[in-house]
């Protein structure tokens, strides 16, 4: 830890109390001189008998007492027959117990470990060791020693040891040479390092500023980084200039690298919308496949539907005997006749009723329909509104399932979904990759109904799929515009439509379910919002804090989600004696906190309906295991266990033992950005509107925030900020070729 003096202790591992094989987090008993101490840290593969020099600090844990927290370690194997016997007898190598360890050490003495690593065939002189068992023993030992050497190499070069386990799983004994040859591989998502740390390592290893490896990595970084801003590609001239500026080099090596990467199949360059568009290959293929599949669905006719009027009447009866409005009836008619359809509309326009009608119509037609949405909250709401099970797109496609192997999703063209139709809600949230995966998994003859609000913000991920499909004019679009009577009584609905039409609602006489509280500075905004969540709404309106979601356009700055989360956490879940917490730099996570996952993690395991370890469930319920927690999932921290190296977080009905070292993937969720709230609906929303960056002062941000509230919306901020957002209909341009491909403007 740079800038902090670390304590050093040295000893021999006596026993491994706990070890997480996924991240290497270890709790062990270490013999230091005449004393045995508890040490914790990331020590993948460590075993009893190993010598350790640990660098870290002493801490005190409420449950486990005095212990040494290791930041990094130097590891060395035992020397001498007695120490080697202790090492092997302690279970260091799977397949060798105390009896076999004694026989091996008696035969080979101080050379035992060298024989195991380099001459395993000699082990066959020991009774009970076959050639296969000798090879297995050697492979397991070499894995441990290779991992240890890799850790030492990384730590010596300033890399956190948690990356070592991931690297070794990927490359085995070749991991160190792979990193030495190309340190930028560490910046790939699966290894968890940012580009700048990998670049620093490359400099230590002697890579020149304009080396091909560095320039190519810089290009990939710029393209991946701009995916976070929604861009599917970058124009060649902009990419060249941005990469040269990033690396502080001339543009010529960047241009040369672009040509090499294009010829090598890493990039594709194509003329799109009058620019030379540079795509990473996976994004290029995703965009082409979405355009190709939707174009096919538009062109292919469905079988003629007989007795459609009777089917529509049956659908009305199944929906409670209602009469569909003209636009709703048109949507059902198009859904019956088409393979692909877009249904869009704002709040109160009957979108939900129309979706229920389409679902019942498909039932009457004998079609098997799957319901899906991009987030868990949106899928849960779809289930409640239709009475049918809806799943997230990730869960529907089997993300992270073992059967998927190297694929991201289990379901695909070779193992498609079993359905005749898919209804996809909150389509504006679906990015290009996810849409490509969904279309790939759908049977060729199936139908797709895309439902959403075209005026909301586009997806957090790359592309503007819903908007591009609508603007291409290739897919039939039914836009619901009439506000139904019940909805007209809601100030939230009325004001949402005023905002969408560029009209500022009357803020002086706010009331009913919409309130505006004028607050001029960020401090007063934060103070007011915190009071509303912690005391005023629970006391005066009976709305519990867990039913309230605070939104803000911005993460940073005064009145942004970082400041709001810290203030609300202090009010609702302050530190207390005995309350477990974990400090991750500027953020402290405590038991009881509401948290949000910030990236897709397909590997993390969960158990449905499980009680905390050591506790019995309130009532017996069927448990189900699975994997995968996704960007935007919200849960509550129920416990922390230093021994297990994990926090226990419940995401709806799924309990996740969440490794401490992966908690950087979480953030507090008392307050979230408007972008992160997409697809969710909350009983009460408090929108903080302090002064914020111009790029966030837009109508679409305000409209999206307002339409998240179901029963109550309170806005705290400046009337000038509110009015400026209504007036600004500018939308951030996203570099995407989907509209042009669907319109036939790109080959």
């Amino acid at each position: 830890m740079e800038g902090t003096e670390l304590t050093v202790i040295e000893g021999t591992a006596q026993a491994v109390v706990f070890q997480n094989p996924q991240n290497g987090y270890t709790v062990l008993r270490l013999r230091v001189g005449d004393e045995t101490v508890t040490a914790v840290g990331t020590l993948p593969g460590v075993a009893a008998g190993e010598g350790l020099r640990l660098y870290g600090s002493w801490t005190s844990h409420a449950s486990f007492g005095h212990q040494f927290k290791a930041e990094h370690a130097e590891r060395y194997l035992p020397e001498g027959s007695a120490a080697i016997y202790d090492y092997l007898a302690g279970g260091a190598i799977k397949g060798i117990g105390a009896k076999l360890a004694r026989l091996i050490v008696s035969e080979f003495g101080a050379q035992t470990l060298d024989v195991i690593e380099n001459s395993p065939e000699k082990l066959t002189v020991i009774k009970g060791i076959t050639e296969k068992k000798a090879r297995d023993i050697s492979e397991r030992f070499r894995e441990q020693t290779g991992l240890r050497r890799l850790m030492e190499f990384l730590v010596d070069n300033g890399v956190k040891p948690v990356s070592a386990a991931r690297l070794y799983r990927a490359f085995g004994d070749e991991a160190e040479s792979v990193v030495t040859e190309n340190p930028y591989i560490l910046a790939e998502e699966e290894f968890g390092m940012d580009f700048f740390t990998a670049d620093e390592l490359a400099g230590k290893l002697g890579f020149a500023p304009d080396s091909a490896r560095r320039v190519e990595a810089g290009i990939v970084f710029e393209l991946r980084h701009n995916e976070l801003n929604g861009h599917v590609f970058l124009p060649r001239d902009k990419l060249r200039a941005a990469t040269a500026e990033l690396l502080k080099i001339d543009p010529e090596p960047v241009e040369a690298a672009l040509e090499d990467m294009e010829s090598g199949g890493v990039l594709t360059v194509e003329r799109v919308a009058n620019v030379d568009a540079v795509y990473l290959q996976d994004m290029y293929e995703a965009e082409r496949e979405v355009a190709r599949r939707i174009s096919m669905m538009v062109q292919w006719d469905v079988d003629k539907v007989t007795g459609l009027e009777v089917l529509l009447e049956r659908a009305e009866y199944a929906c409670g005997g209602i009469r569909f409005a003209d636009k709703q009836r048109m949507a059902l008619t198009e859904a019956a006749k088409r393979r692909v359809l877009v249904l869009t509309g704002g709040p109160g326009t009957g979108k939900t009723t129309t979706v229920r009608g389409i679902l019942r119509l498909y039932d009457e037609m004998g079609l098997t329909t799957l319901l899906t949405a991009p987030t868990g909250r949106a899928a849960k709401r779809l289930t409640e509104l239709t009475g049918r099970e809806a799943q997230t797109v990730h869960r529907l496609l089997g993300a992270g399932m073992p059967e998927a192997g190297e694929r991201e999703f289990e379901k695909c063209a070779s193992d498609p979904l079993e359905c005749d139709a898919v209804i996809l809600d909150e389509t504006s949230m679906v990015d290009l990759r996810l849409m490509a995966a969904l279309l790939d998994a759908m049977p060729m003859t199936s139908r797709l109904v895309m439902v959403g609000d075209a005026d909301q913000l586009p997806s957090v991920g790359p592309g503007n799929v819903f908007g591009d499909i609508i603007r291409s004019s290739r897919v039939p679009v039914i836009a619901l515009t009439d506000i139904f009577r019940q909805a007209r009584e809601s100030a939230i609905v009325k004001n949402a439509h005023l905002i969408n039409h560029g009209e500022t609602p009357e803020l002086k006489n706010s009331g009913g379910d919409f309130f505006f509280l004028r607050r001029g500075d960020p401090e007063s905004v934060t103070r007011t919002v915190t009071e509303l969540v912690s005391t005023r709404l629970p006391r005066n309106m009976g709305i519990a804090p867990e039913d309230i979601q605070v939104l803000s356009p911005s993460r940073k700055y005064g009145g942004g989600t970082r400041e709001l989360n810290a203030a609300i956490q202090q009010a609702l879940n302050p530190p207390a004696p005995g309350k477990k917490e974990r400090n991750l730099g500027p953020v402290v996570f405590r038991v009881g906190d509401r948290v949000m996952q910030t990236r897709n993690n397909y590997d993390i395991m969960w158990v449905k309906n499980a009680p905390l370890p050591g506790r019995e469930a309130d009532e017996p319920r069927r448990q189900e295991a699975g994997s995968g927690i996704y960007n935007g999932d919200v849960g509550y921290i129920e416990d922390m266990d230093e021994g297990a190296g994990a926090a226990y977080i419940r995401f709806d009905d799924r309990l996740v033992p969440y490794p401490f070292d992966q908690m950087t993937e979480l953030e507090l969720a008392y307050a979230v950005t408007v972008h992160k709230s997409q697809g969710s609906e909350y009983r009460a929303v408090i929108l903080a509107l302090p002064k914020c960056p111009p790029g966030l002062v837009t109508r679409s941000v305000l409209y999206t925030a307002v339409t998240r509230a179901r029963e109550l919306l309170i806005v705290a901020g400046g009337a000038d900020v509110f009015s400026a957002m209504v007036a600004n209909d500018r939308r951030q341009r996203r570099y995407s070729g989907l509209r042009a491909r669907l319109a036939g403007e790109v080959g």
Side-chain angles (χ1 to χ4, degrees):
M1 296 175 61
E2 193 173 340
T4 302
E5 187 174 346
L6 299 178
T7 300
V8 183
I9 64 172
E10 187 169 354
T12 303
Q14 296 293 294
V16 176
V17 178
F18 170 84
Q19 189 163 80
N20 186 323
Q22 295 300 313
N23 57 35
Y25 183 85
T26 302
V27 180
L28 58 82
R29 301 289 287 166
L30 186 72
R31 187 72 176 172
V32 181
D34 296 330
E35 183 184 7
T36 300
V37 302
T38 299
V40 300
T42 303
L43 301 164
V46 74
E50 264 192 79
L52 297 169
R53 183 179 293 114
L54 303 180
Y55 298 79
S57 57
W58 290 101
T59 63
S60 182
H61 187 271
S63 302
F64 300 97
H66 200 51
Q67 60 185 27
F68 190 82
K69 182 180 179 182
E71 298 295 336
H72 60 88
E74 295 174 8
R75 300 164 60 178
Y76 44 92
L77 291 174
E79 297 179 356
S81 298
I84 292 173
Y85 167 75
D86 289 341
Y87 174 68
L88 295 179
I93 303 175
K94 187 177 179 181
I96 298 181
K99 182 178 179 181
L100 189 56
R102 183 175 292 106
L103 293 173
I104 295 173
V105 174
S106 296
E107 181 70 28
F108 300 108
Q111 303 303 311
T112 295
L113 298 183
D114 180 65
V115 169
I116 290 174
E117 182 173 11
N118 300 307
S119 306
E121 67 280 358
K122 293 181 179 179
L123 295 174
T124 57
V125 301
I126 306 296
K127 184 178 180 180
I129 299 183
T130 63
E131 289 185 8
K132 182 180 184 305
K133 185 167 184 175
R135 288 195 303 271
D136 289 344
I137 290 171
S138 182
E139 286 176 9
R140 290 171 187 140
F141 178 70
R142 284 191 292 107
E143 179 178 340
Q144 290 183 6
T145 55
L147 184 56
R148 186 181 70 250
R149 284 192 291 265
L150 177 62
M151 281 187 62
E152 291 169 354
F153 165 75
L154 293 175
V155 170
D156 288 345
N157 286 283
V159 179
K160 290 182 179 180
V162 70
S163 299
R166 300 173 187 171
L167 281 165
Y168 201 88
R169 282 200 302 270
F171 301 109
D173 290 338
E174 302 299 317
E176 184 177 338
S177 61
V178 167
V179 174
T180 302
E181 182 181 342
N182 181 18
Y184 294 100
I185 199 166
L186 289 165
E188 294 183 5
E189 185 177 6
E190 63 182 297
F191 302 121
M193 184 182 291
D194 63 67
F195 168 81
F196 301 100
T197 305
D199 194 40
E200 185 177 345
L201 173 59
K204 292 179 181 178
L205 294 176
F207 281 72
D210 61 351
S211 68
R213 290 282 196 199
R214 183 170 190 256
V215 178
E216 290 176 5
I219 290 170
V220 172
F221 169 78
E222 284 292 343
L223 289 169
R224 291 294 185 214
H225 177 74
N226 276 280
E227 287 179 16
L228 302 177
N229 296 324
H231 301 304
V232 178
F233 68 80
L234 286 180
R236 190 178 190 125
D237 56 345
K238 290 183 180 295
L239 175 59
R240 182 173 56 238
T243 306
E245 174 63 25
L246 170 75
L247 303 178
K248 307 301 182 196
I249 60 174
D250 294 330
E252 288 76 13
V254 181
E255 183 60 39
L258 285 170
E259 293 175 3
D260 289 344
M261 294 170 79
E262 184 181 6
S263 62
V266 178
L267 305 175
T268 291
V269 183
E270 195 167 49
R271 192 72 179 172
V272 176
N274 298 317
V275 300
D276 290 327
V278 182
Y279 293 84
L280 284 169
Q281 197 61 28
D282 63 325
M283 297 305 299
Y284 177 72
E285 291 172 359
E287 186 175 274
R288 283 194 64 188
E289 281 306 298
V290 170
R292 182 186 69 85
R293 185 64 184 271
I294 289 179
S295 296
M296 289 170 58
M297 295 172 80
V298 170
Q299 293 168 7
W300 288 358
D301 294 328
V302 297
D303 295 334
K304 187 174 181 179
V305 182
T306 57
L308 181 56
E309 285 301 317
V310 173
L311 293 173
L312 290 171
E313 290 176 4
R314 289 178 180 173
E316 288 180 329
Y317 179 78
C319 289
I322 65 171
R323 291 289 297 173
F324 294 122
D326 291 345
K327 282 279 187 76
Q328 293 176 316
R329 199 173 184 84
M330 184 186 302
L332 268 69
T333 301
E334 290 295 303
K337 294 180 177 179
R338 309 276 188 174
R339 284 200 190 281
V340 60
L341 175 70
V342 167
L343 175 66
T344 184
T349 57
K351 206 162 61 247
T352 298
T353 300
T354 308
V355 169
R356 289 173 54 213
I358 292 172
L359 179 58
R360 299 304 187 268
L361 175 65
Y362 283 168
D363 289 345
E364 296 296 334
M365 294 171 63
L367 303 180
T368 300
T369 307
L370 296 176
L371 301 178
T372 189
T375 68
R377 283 181 174 269
K380 185 177 181 180
R381 186 159 58 94
L382 186 57
T383 297
E384 293 168 350
L385 295 172
T386 61
R388 299 284 185 85
E389 182 187 5
Q391 300 182 71
T392 64
V393 180
H394 285 90
R395 204 162 306 288
L396 182 71
L397 300 182
M401 296 296 289
E403 293 83 353
E406 295 299 315
R407 302 194 310 271
E408 186 175 4
F409 298 106
E410 178 188 1
K411 293 298 179 182
C412 58
S414 59
D415 183 15
L417 297 165
E418 296 180 4
C419 66
D420 302 303
V422 172
I423 297 178
L424 172 63
D425 199 11
E426 297 290 354
T427 310
S428 62
M429 294 184 64
V430 178
D431 64 28
L432 185 66
R433 282 197 189 91
L434 196 57
M435 180 60 81
L438 177 61
L439 290 169
D440 183 53
M442 289 173 55
M444 294 299 292
T445 57
S446 60
R447 304 162 184 250
L448 175 63
V449 178
M450 293 174 280
V451 184
D453 188 337
D455 295 309
Q456 287 186 23
L457 291 166
S459 60
V460 175
N464 185 8
V465 174
F466 198 49
D468 283 351
I469 289 172
I470 292 171
R471 290 186 299 110
S472 72
S473 301
R474 283 296 304 280
V475 176
V477 176
I478 303 297
L480 304 176
T481 55
D482 295 333
I483 305 174
F484 286 84
R485 180 182 58 80
Q486 302 94 319
R488 285 199 299 269
E489 297 172 359
S490 165
I492 295 173
V493 172
K494 181 178 70 174
N495 290 338
H497 285 276
L498 287 173
I499 291 166
N500 203 28
H501 288 94
E503 301 176 38
T504 301
E506 177 57 62
L507 301 179
K508 291 182 180 178
N509 300 317
S510 57
D513 58 5
F514 180 99
F515 295 88
F516 187 87
L517 305 179
R518 283 173 170 77
R519 298 294 183 269
D521 59 89
E523 292 77 15
S524 63
V525 169
T526 299
R527 186 168 56 252
T528 298
V529 169
T530 303
E531 291 171 355
L532 286 166
V533 174
S534 60
T535 58
R536 291 167 62 178
L537 291 186
R539 183 181 60 210
N540 299 333
M541 302 188 72
I543 302 177
E546 55 266 28
D547 291 328
I548 303 168
Q549 183 60 62
V550 175
L551 304 180
S552 176
S554 173
R555 287 173 56 85
K556 305 176 184 177
Y557 310 102
T561 58
R562 289 182 182 174
E563 184 176 286
L564 288 164
N565 271 314
I568 298 170
Q569 182 194 45
Q570 181 63 29
L572 295 180
N573 193 27
K579 182 180 288 186
K580 299 174 185 176
E581 63 178 43
R582 192 156 188 88
N583 193 321
L584 269 70
V587 180
V588 176
F589 293 106
R590 295 191 186 100
V591 170
D593 278 335
R594 183 195 300 176
V595 294
M596 175 181 281
Q597 177 77 6
T598 61
R599 61 180 291 270
N600 292 336
N601 187 327
Y602 301 109
D603 299 324
I604 200 161
M605 303 299 296
W606 50 260
V607 181
K608 201 171 185 178
N609 301 322
L612 287 171
R615 302 184 192 177
E616 293 184 3
D618 295 335
E619 57 183 76
R621 298 177 68 183
R622 181 175 176 271
Q623 294 187 11
E624 172 189 339
S627 65
I629 298 295
Y630 308 112
N631 189 3
D633 284 356
V634 174
Y636 286 85
I637 301 176
E638 292 194 351
D639 196 10
M640 293 183 180
D641 187 338
E642 288 288 342
Y648 289 92
I649 304 176
R650 196 166 307 268
F651 293 88
D652 293 324
D653 56 358
R654 294 163 292 151
L655 183 67
V656 178
Y658 208 104
F660 284 150
D661 72 284
Q662 291 183 7
M663 289 184 75
T664 53
E665 298 177 6
L666 298 170
E667 60 185 25
L668 293 174
Y670 300 105
V672 301
T673 63
V674 177
H675 281 82
K676 287 286 189 180
S677 73
Q678 289 174 264
S680 297
E681 186 180 75
Y682 311 97
R683 181 183 176 189
V685 167
I686 302 172
L687 174 60
L689 279 189
K691 293 187 183 299
C692 53
L696 297 173
V697 183
T698 68
R699 186 184 303 171
S700 59
V701 170
L702 180 60
Y703 175 77
T704 300
V706 170
T707 53
R708 299 308 90 205
R710 185 171 68 247
E711 296 180 18
L712 176 67
L713 173 69
I714 300 176
V715 182
D720 55 337
V721 178
F722 193 102
S723 298
M725 296 179 84
V726 174
N728 183 11
D729 195 28
R730 179 179 57 81
R731 297 182 181 240
Q732 179 193 17
R733 180 183 180 185
R734 292 189 167 197
Y735 291 113
S736 164
L738 181 59
R739 185 211 62 79
R741 292 186 195 281
L742 286 168
E745 298 170 7
V746 181

